[in-house]
Amino acid sequence: MSQTKIAVVVGSLRRDSFNKTLAAALAKLAPADVTLVPVEIGDLPLYNQDDDGNQAPSVKRLKAEIAAAQGVIFVTPEYNRSVPGVLKNAIDHASRPYGQSAWGGKPAGVIGVSVGAIGTALAQQHLRTILAYLDMPTLGQPEAFIQMKDGLFDADGSIGAASRDFVKGWLDRYLAFVKTHAG
């Protein structure tokens, strides 16, 4: 049985990030033939087109990790009704220089958690617009706008009983989507 590797990009740097917890919980739900690999983005310099010809080692590592994966899950919080700057910075780095994007053709899944009533709906919509431009086929349904509430995570960081079936269903649909786009 071959192993499917999915890169997981979390758009939060906060130590106790709900989205980092969600990403780790997704990894626990993955079947044995799937590995969800966290991708570090906090060490990237600010994107500057002047650096395209001599990308930093952290940028080269990011691009290599994306290239080695069969798909990408973006786990994003919502900052000011959009994606966090650190996530956009990572996306810009891995898409450059022009014509050398690591993202193209990688099946994407978009999920996130927030304390707001609509979860990360607006950030996800903005992210979907970016991913469309980057030529990333993106899972459309089910959408996963998760609100942070007591019981969302168990004491060990797993998805709580009330949300487990929904989150597992989302992950299963995404993994099936990856298989349909495997090339």
mmCIF file of all heavy atoms in Angstrom, residues 110-162:
data_model
loop_
_atom_site.group_PDB
_atom_site.id
_atom_site.type_symbol
_atom_site.label_atom_id
_atom_site.label_comp_id
_atom_site.label_asym_id
_atom_site.label_seq_id
_atom_site.Cartn_x
_atom_site.Cartn_y
_atom_site.Cartn_z
ATOM 1 N N VAL A 110 -9.633 23.299 2.308
ATOM 2 C CA VAL A 110 -9.630 24.517 3.113
ATOM 3 C C VAL A 110 -10.547 24.306 4.303
ATOM 4 O O VAL A 110 -11.718 23.940 4.150
ATOM 5 C CB VAL A 110 -10.104 25.732 2.281
ATOM 6 C CG1 VAL A 110 -10.104 26.987 3.130
ATOM 7 C CG2 VAL A 110 -9.232 25.917 1.041
ATOM 8 N N ILE A 111 -9.998 24.539 5.493
ATOM 9 C CA ILE A 111 -10.744 24.353 6.732
ATOM 10 C C ILE A 111 -10.187 25.347 7.745
ATOM 11 O O ILE A 111 -9.069 25.844 7.580
ATOM 12 C CB ILE A 111 -10.622 22.887 7.225
ATOM 13 C CG1 ILE A 111 -11.611 22.574 8.341
ATOM 14 C CG2 ILE A 111 -9.192 22.535 7.593
ATOM 15 C CD1 ILE A 111 -11.722 21.071 8.665
ATOM 16 N N GLY A 112 -10.940 25.661 8.763
ATOM 17 C CA GLY A 112 -10.448 26.564 9.795
ATOM 18 C C GLY A 112 -11.419 26.652 10.945
ATOM 19 O O GLY A 112 -12.588 26.297 10.825
ATOM 20 N N VAL A 113 -10.902 27.164 12.060
ATOM 21 C CA VAL A 113 -11.709 27.309 13.267
ATOM 22 C C VAL A 113 -11.480 28.698 13.841
ATOM 23 O O VAL A 113 -10.374 29.228 13.789
ATOM 24 C CB VAL A 113 -11.379 26.205 14.309
ATOM 25 C CG1 VAL A 113 -9.929 26.211 14.707
ATOM 26 C CG2 VAL A 113 -12.279 26.301 15.532
ATOM 27 N N SER A 114 -12.557 29.287 14.366
ATOM 28 C CA SER A 114 -12.504 30.621 14.954
ATOM 29 C C SER A 114 -13.574 30.713 16.029
ATOM 30 O O SER A 114 -14.537 29.958 16.017
ATOM 31 C CB SER A 114 -12.766 31.673 13.872
ATOM 32 O OG SER A 114 -12.864 32.957 14.436
ATOM 33 N N VAL A 115 -13.428 31.684 16.910
ATOM 34 C CA VAL A 115 -14.439 31.888 17.948
ATOM 35 C C VAL A 115 -15.693 32.551 17.387
ATOM 36 O O VAL A 115 -16.745 32.500 18.003
ATOM 37 C CB VAL A 115 -13.881 32.717 19.129
ATOM 38 C CG1 VAL A 115 -12.773 31.957 19.826
ATOM 39 C CG2 VAL A 115 -13.412 34.087 18.676
ATOM 40 N N GLY A 116 -15.618 33.136 16.220
ATOM 41 C CA GLY A 116 -16.761 33.810 15.611
ATOM 42 C C GLY A 116 -17.843 32.838 15.179
ATOM 43 O O GLY A 116 -17.577 31.676 14.866
ATOM 44 N N ALA A 117 -19.062 33.338 15.104
ATOM 45 C CA ALA A 117 -20.213 32.492 14.768
ATOM 46 C C ALA A 117 -20.125 31.884 13.376
ATOM 47 O O ALA A 117 -20.662 30.801 13.143
ATOM 48 C CB ALA A 117 -21.502 33.296 14.908
ATOM 49 N N ILE A 118 -19.466 32.562 12.440
ATOM 50 C CA ILE A 118 -19.352 32.017 11.086
ATOM 51 C C ILE A 118 -17.998 31.357 10.853
ATOM 52 O O ILE A 118 -17.595 31.110 9.711
ATOM 53 C CB ILE A 118 -19.631 33.098 10.010
ATOM 54 C CG1 ILE A 118 -18.646 34.256 10.104
ATOM 55 C CG2 ILE A 118 -21.071 33.560 10.072
ATOM 56 C CD1 ILE A 118 -18.727 35.235 8.935
ATOM 57 N N GLY A 119 -17.301 31.045 11.934
ATOM 58 C CA GLY A 119 -16.011 30.378 11.809
ATOM 59 C C GLY A 119 -15.073 31.210 10.968
ATOM 60 O O GLY A 119 -14.926 32.402 11.188
ATOM 61 N N THR A 120 -14.482 30.599 9.979
ATOM 62 C CA THR A 120 -13.514 31.294 9.119
ATOM 63 C C THR A 120 -14.042 31.423 7.694
ATOM 64 O O THR A 120 -13.283 31.370 6.729
ATOM 65 C CB THR A 120 -12.166 30.553 9.147
ATOM 66 O OG1 THR A 120 -12.353 29.217 8.660
ATOM 67 C CG2 THR A 120 -11.573 30.501 10.534
ATOM 68 N N ALA A 121 -15.341 31.621 7.564
ATOM 69 C CA ALA A 121 -15.991 31.625 6.246
ATOM 70 C C ALA A 121 -15.402 32.657 5.287
ATOM 71 O O ALA A 121 -15.150 32.347 4.115
ATOM 72 C CB ALA A 121 -17.494 31.862 6.399
ATOM 73 N N LEU A 122 -15.164 33.860 5.743
ATOM 74 C CA LEU A 122 -14.670 34.897 4.835
ATOM 75 C C LEU A 122 -13.206 34.666 4.475
ATOM 76 O O LEU A 122 -12.811 34.854 3.322
ATOM 77 C CB LEU A 122 -14.887 36.283 5.431
ATOM 78 C CG LEU A 122 -16.365 36.656 5.588
ATOM 79 C CD1 LEU A 122 -16.523 37.972 6.328
ATOM 80 C CD2 LEU A 122 -17.065 36.695 4.257
ATOM 81 N N ALA A 123 -12.402 34.252 5.430
ATOM 82 C CA ALA A 123 -11.007 33.929 5.124
ATOM 83 C C ALA A 123 -10.946 32.788 4.119
ATOM 84 O O ALA A 123 -10.151 32.820 3.171
ATOM 85 C CB ALA A 123 -10.252 33.549 6.401
ATOM 86 N N GLN A 124 -11.785 31.787 4.303
ATOM 87 C CA GLN A 124 -11.792 30.658 3.374
ATOM 88 C C GLN A 124 -12.190 31.094 1.981
ATOM 89 O O GLN A 124 -11.628 30.626 0.988
ATOM 90 C CB GLN A 124 -12.727 29.552 3.881
ATOM 91 C CG GLN A 124 -12.171 28.820 5.078
ATOM 92 C CD GLN A 124 -13.006 27.617 5.444
ATOM 93 O OE1 GLN A 124 -13.509 26.921 4.567
ATOM 94 N NE2 GLN A 124 -13.145 27.358 6.737
ATOM 95 N N GLN A 125 -13.164 32.004 1.868
ATOM 96 C CA GLN A 125 -13.576 32.470 0.544
ATOM 97 C C GLN A 125 -12.442 33.224 -0.136
ATOM 98 O O GLN A 125 -12.186 33.037 -1.323
ATOM 99 C CB GLN A 125 -14.826 33.347 0.643
ATOM 100 C CG GLN A 125 -15.424 33.660 -0.706
ATOM 101 C CD GLN A 125 -15.771 32.397 -1.499
ATOM 102 O OE1 GLN A 125 -16.366 31.473 -0.991
ATOM 103 N NE2 GLN A 125 -15.373 32.362 -2.755
ATOM 104 N N HIS A 126 -11.753 34.071 0.603
ATOM 105 C CA HIS A 126 -10.608 34.785 0.027
ATOM 106 C C HIS A 126 -9.522 33.796 -0.394
ATOM 107 O O HIS A 126 -8.933 33.940 -1.474
ATOM 108 C CB HIS A 126 -10.050 35.792 1.019
ATOM 109 C CG HIS A 126 -10.908 36.994 1.194
ATOM 110 N ND1 HIS A 126 -10.607 37.990 2.078
ATOM 111 C CD2 HIS A 126 -12.071 37.369 0.602
ATOM 112 C CE1 HIS A 126 -11.539 38.928 2.026
ATOM 113 N NE2 HIS A 126 -12.446 38.558 1.143
ATOM 114 N N LEU A 127 -9.274 32.803 0.438
ATOM 115 C CA LEU A 127 -8.259 31.804 0.126
ATOM 116 C C LEU A 127 -8.630 31.023 -1.130
ATOM 117 O O LEU A 127 -7.786 30.773 -1.996
ATOM 118 C CB LEU A 127 -8.057 30.864 1.317
ATOM 119 C CG LEU A 127 -6.985 29.805 1.185
ATOM 120 C CD1 LEU A 127 -5.630 30.397 0.821
ATOM 121 C CD2 LEU A 127 -6.891 28.999 2.479
ATOM 122 N N ARG A 128 -9.893 30.674 -1.273
ATOM 123 C CA ARG A 128 -10.344 29.944 -2.469
ATOM 124 C C ARG A 128 -10.094 30.757 -3.747
ATOM 125 O O ARG A 128 -9.739 30.196 -4.786
ATOM 126 C CB ARG A 128 -11.825 29.576 -2.348
ATOM 127 C CG ARG A 128 -12.080 28.487 -1.342
ATOM 128 C CD ARG A 128 -13.588 28.285 -1.110
ATOM 129 N NE ARG A 128 -13.803 27.298 -0.081
ATOM 130 C CZ ARG A 128 -13.729 25.989 -0.249
ATOM 131 N NH1 ARG A 128 -13.455 25.490 -1.436
ATOM 132 N NH2 ARG A 128 -13.939 25.165 0.753
ATOM 133 N N THR A 129 -10.266 32.060 -3.669
ATOM 134 C CA THR A 129 -9.987 32.924 -4.819
ATOM 135 C C THR A 129 -8.504 32.860 -5.181
ATOM 136 O O THR A 129 -8.143 32.747 -6.360
ATOM 137 C CB THR A 129 -10.413 34.376 -4.516
ATOM 138 O OG1 THR A 129 -11.817 34.397 -4.252
ATOM 139 C CG2 THR A 129 -10.086 35.305 -5.668
ATOM 140 N N ILE A 130 -7.649 32.907 -4.194
ATOM 141 C CA ILE A 130 -6.198 32.818 -4.418
ATOM 142 C C ILE A 130 -5.840 31.460 -5.011
ATOM 143 O O ILE A 130 -5.084 31.365 -5.984
ATOM 144 C CB ILE A 130 -5.438 33.063 -3.096
ATOM 145 C CG1 ILE A 130 -5.670 34.483 -2.580
ATOM 146 C CG2 ILE A 130 -3.949 32.777 -3.269
ATOM 147 C CD1 ILE A 130 -5.266 34.681 -1.125
ATOM 148 N N LEU A 131 -6.408 30.396 -4.447
ATOM 149 C CA LEU A 131 -6.067 29.041 -4.902
ATOM 150 C C LEU A 131 -6.531 28.806 -6.336
ATOM 151 O O LEU A 131 -5.868 28.096 -7.097
ATOM 152 C CB LEU A 131 -6.668 28.000 -3.951
ATOM 153 C CG LEU A 131 -6.203 28.090 -2.495
ATOM 154 C CD1 LEU A 131 -6.853 27.000 -1.664
ATOM 155 C CD2 LEU A 131 -4.695 28.061 -2.375
ATOM 156 N N ALA A 132 -7.653 29.402 -6.719
ATOM 157 C CA ALA A 132 -8.129 29.278 -8.100
ATOM 158 C C ALA A 132 -7.100 29.873 -9.056
ATOM 159 O O ALA A 132 -6.781 29.276 -10.095
ATOM 160 C CB ALA A 132 -9.483 29.957 -8.271
ATOM 161 N N TYR A 133 -6.562 31.026 -8.721
ATOM 162 C CA TYR A 133 -5.538 31.643 -9.568
ATOM 163 C C TYR A 133 -4.291 30.765 -9.648
ATOM 164 O O TYR A 133 -3.644 30.676 -10.693
ATOM 165 C CB TYR A 133 -5.154 33.046 -9.060
ATOM 166 C CG TYR A 133 -3.988 33.581 -9.844
ATOM 167 C CD1 TYR A 133 -4.180 34.073 -11.135
ATOM 168 C CD2 TYR A 133 -2.699 33.528 -9.338
ATOM 169 C CE1 TYR A 133 -3.109 34.516 -11.891
ATOM 170 C CE2 TYR A 133 -1.628 33.961 -10.088
ATOM 171 C CZ TYR A 133 -1.834 34.459 -11.362
ATOM 172 O OH TYR A 133 -0.774 34.877 -12.120
ATOM 173 N N LEU A 134 -3.961 30.101 -8.554
ATOM 174 C CA LEU A 134 -2.757 29.265 -8.506
ATOM 175 C C LEU A 134 -2.952 27.903 -9.169
ATOM 176 O O LEU A 134 -2.054 27.077 -9.143
ATOM 177 C CB LEU A 134 -2.309 29.078 -7.054
ATOM 178 C CG LEU A 134 -1.836 30.345 -6.364
ATOM 179 C CD1 LEU A 134 -1.581 30.081 -4.888
ATOM 180 C CD2 LEU A 134 -0.598 30.907 -7.037
ATOM 181 N N ASP A 135 -4.117 27.666 -9.750
ATOM 182 C CA ASP A 135 -4.427 26.420 -10.450
ATOM 183 C C ASP A 135 -4.425 25.220 -9.511
ATOM 184 O O ASP A 135 -3.945 24.142 -9.844
ATOM 185 C CB ASP A 135 -3.462 26.193 -11.624
ATOM 186 C CG ASP A 135 -3.951 25.116 -12.574
ATOM 187 O OD1 ASP A 135 -5.183 24.917 -12.672
ATOM 188 O OD2 ASP A 135 -3.106 24.454 -13.203
ATOM 189 N N MET A 136 -4.992 25.432 -8.317
ATOM 190 C CA MET A 136 -5.144 24.360 -7.347
ATOM 191 C C MET A 136 -6.604 23.924 -7.323
ATOM 192 O O MET A 136 -7.459 24.684 -6.865
ATOM 193 C CB MET A 136 -4.710 24.812 -5.946
ATOM 194 C CG MET A 136 -3.256 25.171 -5.823
ATOM 195 S SD MET A 136 -2.798 25.587 -4.118
ATOM 196 C CE MET A 136 -2.676 23.941 -3.403
ATOM 197 N N PRO A 137 -6.916 22.713 -7.824
ATOM 198 C CA PRO A 137 -8.290 22.243 -7.671
ATOM 199 C C PRO A 137 -8.620 22.190 -6.180
ATOM 200 O O PRO A 137 -7.825 21.691 -5.385
ATOM 201 C CB PRO A 137 -8.278 20.853 -8.306
ATOM 202 C CG PRO A 137 -6.851 20.472 -8.459
ATOM 203 C CD PRO A 137 -6.032 21.721 -8.410
ATOM 204 N N THR A 138 -9.757 22.747 -5.801
ATOM 205 C CA THR A 138 -10.081 22.898 -4.380
ATOM 206 C C THR A 138 -11.416 22.238 -4.071
ATOM 207 O O THR A 138 -12.410 22.482 -4.765
ATOM 208 C CB THR A 138 -10.109 24.396 -4.006
ATOM 209 O OG1 THR A 138 -8.843 24.976 -4.352
ATOM 210 C CG2 THR A 138 -10.342 24.585 -2.522
ATOM 211 N N LEU A 139 -11.438 21.414 -3.025
ATOM 212 C CA LEU A 139 -12.669 20.757 -2.584
ATOM 213 C C LEU A 139 -13.730 21.822 -2.305
ATOM 214 O O LEU A 139 -13.490 22.745 -1.522
ATOM 215 C CB LEU A 139 -12.399 19.930 -1.323
ATOM 216 C CG LEU A 139 -13.598 19.229 -0.705
ATOM 217 C CD1 LEU A 139 -14.102 18.118 -1.631
ATOM 218 C CD2 LEU A 139 -13.226 18.659 0.656
ATOM 219 N N GLY A 140 -14.887 21.685 -2.945
ATOM 220 C CA GLY A 140 -15.958 22.656 -2.748
ATOM 221 C C GLY A 140 -16.904 22.298 -1.619
ATOM 222 O O GLY A 140 -17.319 23.154 -0.847
ATOM 223 N N GLN A 141 -17.238 21.019 -1.503
ATOM 224 C CA GLN A 141 -18.184 20.570 -0.483
ATOM 225 C C GLN A 141 -17.656 19.313 0.191
ATOM 226 O O GLN A 141 -17.063 18.482 -0.482
ATOM 227 C CB GLN A 141 -19.543 20.263 -1.125
ATOM 228 C CG GLN A 141 -20.238 21.470 -1.704
ATOM 229 C CD GLN A 141 -20.670 22.457 -0.648
ATOM 230 O OE1 GLN A 141 -21.030 22.069 0.477
ATOM 231 N NE2 GLN A 141 -20.608 23.729 -0.969
ATOM 232 N N PRO A 142 -17.830 19.153 1.460
ATOM 233 C CA PRO A 142 -18.514 20.079 2.348
ATOM 234 C C PRO A 142 -17.608 21.235 2.751
ATOM 235 O O PRO A 142 -16.385 21.081 2.802
ATOM 236 C CB PRO A 142 -18.845 19.208 3.566
ATOM 237 C CG PRO A 142 -17.759 18.185 3.603
ATOM 238 C CD PRO A 142 -17.393 17.928 2.162
ATOM 239 N N GLU A 143 -18.205 22.382 2.997
ATOM 240 C CA GLU A 143 -17.457 23.494 3.567
ATOM 241 C C GLU A 143 -17.358 23.240 5.064
ATOM 242 O O GLU A 143 -18.227 22.608 5.651
ATOM 243 C CB GLU A 143 -18.171 24.815 3.292
ATOM 244 C CG GLU A 143 -18.210 25.151 1.813
ATOM 245 C CD GLU A 143 -19.012 26.385 1.510
ATOM 246 O OE1 GLU A 143 -20.162 26.489 1.994
ATOM 247 O OE2 GLU A 143 -18.495 27.231 0.776
ATOM 248 N N ALA A 144 -16.286 23.744 5.670
ATOM 249 C CA ALA A 144 -16.057 23.483 7.095
ATOM 250 C C ALA A 144 -15.722 24.789 7.812
ATOM 251 O O ALA A 144 -14.566 25.153 7.960
ATOM 252 C CB ALA A 144 -14.942 22.458 7.267
ATOM 253 N N PHE A 145 -16.778 25.493 8.214
ATOM 254 C CA PHE A 145 -16.637 26.744 8.958
ATOM 255 C C PHE A 145 -16.874 26.412 10.432
ATOM 256 O O PHE A 145 -18.003 26.410 10.897
ATOM 257 C CB PHE A 145 -17.654 27.786 8.494
ATOM 258 C CG PHE A 145 -17.692 27.979 6.998
ATOM 259 C CD1 PHE A 145 -18.893 28.042 6.335
ATOM 260 C CD2 PHE A 145 -16.527 28.121 6.264
ATOM 261 C CE1 PHE A 145 -18.950 28.253 4.966
ATOM 262 C CE2 PHE A 145 -16.559 28.324 4.897
ATOM 263 C CZ PHE A 145 -17.776 28.391 4.242
ATOM 264 N N ILE A 146 -15.821 26.114 11.152
ATOM 265 C CA ILE A 146 -15.933 25.562 12.499
ATOM 266 C C ILE A 146 -15.812 26.657 13.548
ATOM 267 O O ILE A 146 -14.856 27.440 13.531
ATOM 268 C CB ILE A 146 -14.868 24.474 12.708
ATOM 269 C CG1 ILE A 146 -15.054 23.370 11.650
ATOM 270 C CG2 ILE A 146 -14.933 23.918 14.119
ATOM 271 C CD1 ILE A 146 -13.946 22.355 11.613
ATOM 272 N N GLN A 147 -16.770 26.687 14.451
ATOM 273 C CA GLN A 147 -16.730 27.643 15.555
ATOM 274 C C GLN A 147 -16.100 26.980 16.775
ATOM 275 O O GLN A 147 -16.458 25.850 17.132
ATOM 276 C CB GLN A 147 -18.134 28.137 15.903
ATOM 277 C CG GLN A 147 -18.117 29.211 16.977
ATOM 278 C CD GLN A 147 -19.502 29.714 17.340
ATOM 279 O OE1 GLN A 147 -20.507 29.029 17.134
ATOM 280 N NE2 GLN A 147 -19.561 30.904 17.900
ATOM 281 N N MET A 148 -15.169 27.684 17.394
ATOM 282 C CA MET A 148 -14.519 27.179 18.598
ATOM 283 C C MET A 148 -15.494 27.263 19.762
ATOM 284 O O MET A 148 -15.957 28.333 20.119
ATOM 285 C CB MET A 148 -13.262 28.006 18.894
ATOM 286 C CG MET A 148 -12.492 27.542 20.110
ATOM 287 S SD MET A 148 -11.915 25.863 19.895
ATOM 288 C CE MET A 148 -11.678 25.395 21.596
ATOM 289 N N LYS A 149 -15.839 26.092 20.290
ATOM 290 C CA LYS A 149 -16.735 25.999 21.439
ATOM 291 C C LYS A 149 -16.190 24.941 22.381
ATOM 292 O O LYS A 149 -15.418 24.072 21.969
ATOM 293 C CB LYS A 149 -18.143 25.582 21.001
ATOM 294 C CG LYS A 149 -18.890 26.609 20.192
ATOM 295 C CD LYS A 149 -20.294 26.107 19.884
ATOM 296 C CE LYS A 149 -21.081 27.152 19.143
ATOM 297 N NZ LYS A 149 -22.443 26.701 18.848
ATOM 298 N N ASP A 150 -16.623 24.988 23.634
ATOM 299 C CA ASP A 150 -16.262 23.931 24.570
ATOM 300 C C ASP A 150 -16.660 22.596 23.979
ATOM 301 O O ASP A 150 -17.761 22.444 23.435
ATOM 302 C CB ASP A 150 -16.959 24.122 25.922
ATOM 303 C CG ASP A 150 -16.367 25.258 26.742
ATOM 304 O OD1 ASP A 150 -15.217 25.642 26.477
ATOM 305 O OD2 ASP A 150 -17.070 25.763 27.641
ATOM 306 N N GLY A 151 -15.759 21.627 24.051
ATOM 307 C CA GLY A 151 -16.040 20.290 23.566
ATOM 308 C C GLY A 151 -15.582 20.040 22.139
ATOM 309 O O GLY A 151 -15.615 18.904 21.677
ATOM 310 N N LEU A 152 -15.160 21.105 21.412
ATOM 311 C CA LEU A 152 -14.664 20.874 20.057
ATOM 312 C C LEU A 152 -13.456 19.943 20.094
ATOM 313 O O LEU A 152 -13.332 19.044 19.269
ATOM 314 C CB LEU A 152 -14.296 22.187 19.361
ATOM 315 C CG LEU A 152 -13.691 22.034 17.962
ATOM 316 C CD1 LEU A 152 -14.660 21.330 17.005
ATOM 317 C CD2 LEU A 152 -13.260 23.387 17.410
ATOM 318 N N PHE A 153 -12.581 20.154 21.069
ATOM 319 C CA PHE A 153 -11.415 19.296 21.237
ATOM 320 C C PHE A 153 -11.500 18.581 22.578
ATOM 321 O O PHE A 153 -11.906 19.163 23.579
ATOM 322 C CB PHE A 153 -10.122 20.119 21.199
ATOM 323 C CG PHE A 153 -9.917 20.878 19.918
ATOM 324 C CD1 PHE A 153 -9.956 22.260 19.897
ATOM 325 C CD2 PHE A 153 -9.697 20.208 18.721
ATOM 326 C CE1 PHE A 153 -9.770 22.964 18.715
ATOM 327 C CE2 PHE A 153 -9.515 20.900 17.533
ATOM 328 C CZ PHE A 153 -9.548 22.283 17.533
ATOM 329 N N ASP A 154 -11.119 17.305 22.577
ATOM 330 C CA ASP A 154 -11.003 16.551 23.826
ATOM 331 C C ASP A 154 -9.737 16.992 24.553
ATOM 332 O O ASP A 154 -8.907 17.717 23.990
ATOM 333 C CB ASP A 154 -10.915 15.047 23.542
ATOM 334 C CG ASP A 154 -12.239 14.453 23.083
ATOM 335 O OD1 ASP A 154 -13.293 15.068 23.322
ATOM 336 O OD2 ASP A 154 -12.206 13.358 22.480
ATOM 337 N N ALA A 155 -9.556 16.500 25.764
ATOM 338 C CA ALA A 155 -8.384 16.869 26.561
ATOM 339 C C ALA A 155 -7.070 16.512 25.873
ATOM 340 O O ALA A 155 -6.059 17.194 26.051
ATOM 341 C CB ALA A 155 -8.456 16.191 27.935
ATOM 342 N N ASP A 156 -7.076 15.463 25.039
ATOM 343 C CA ASP A 156 -5.840 15.050 24.352
ATOM 344 C C ASP A 156 -5.650 15.743 23.001
ATOM 345 O O ASP A 156 -4.730 15.426 22.255
ATOM 346 C CB ASP A 156 -5.802 13.536 24.181
ATOM 347 C CG ASP A 156 -6.822 13.014 23.186
ATOM 348 O OD1 ASP A 156 -7.672 13.791 22.699
ATOM 349 O OD2 ASP A 156 -6.769 11.802 22.878
ATOM 350 N N GLY A 157 -6.538 16.710 22.674
ATOM 351 C CA GLY A 157 -6.413 17.439 21.416
ATOM 352 C C GLY A 157 -7.136 16.807 20.243
ATOM 353 O O GLY A 157 -7.087 17.336 19.130
ATOM 354 N N SER A 158 -7.811 15.687 20.462
ATOM 355 C CA SER A 158 -8.602 15.064 19.401
ATOM 356 C C SER A 158 -9.905 15.845 19.211
ATOM 357 O O SER A 158 -10.318 16.607 20.081
ATOM 358 C CB SER A 158 -8.950 13.617 19.773
ATOM 359 O OG SER A 158 -7.789 12.851 19.928
ATOM 360 N N ILE A 159 -10.559 15.628 18.079
ATOM 361 C CA ILE A 159 -11.865 16.241 17.852
ATOM 362 C C ILE A 159 -12.868 15.606 18.815
ATOM 363 O O ILE A 159 -12.929 14.382 18.940
ATOM 364 C CB ILE A 159 -12.328 16.031 16.395
ATOM 365 C CG1 ILE A 159 -11.344 16.652 15.411
ATOM 366 C CG2 ILE A 159 -13.741 16.588 16.183
ATOM 367 C CD1 ILE A 159 -11.236 18.157 15.480
ATOM 368 N N GLY A 160 -13.643 16.435 19.493
ATOM 369 C CA GLY A 160 -14.633 15.954 20.440
ATOM 370 C C GLY A 160 -15.753 15.176 19.764
ATOM 371 O O GLY A 160 -15.975 15.285 18.552
ATOM 372 N N ALA A 161 -16.476 14.424 20.549
ATOM 373 C CA ALA A 161 -17.520 13.526 20.027
ATOM 374 C C ALA A 161 -18.571 14.244 19.197
ATOM 375 O O ALA A 161 -19.019 13.734 18.170
ATOM 376 C CB ALA A 161 -18.179 12.775 21.187
ATOM 377 N N ALA A 162 -18.969 15.452 19.591
ATOM 378 C CA ALA A 162 -20.045 16.158 18.886
ATOM 379 C C ALA A 162 -19.654 16.587 17.474
ATOM 380 O O ALA A 162 -20.523 16.735 16.619
ATOM 381 C CB ALA A 162 -20.485 17.382 19.700
#
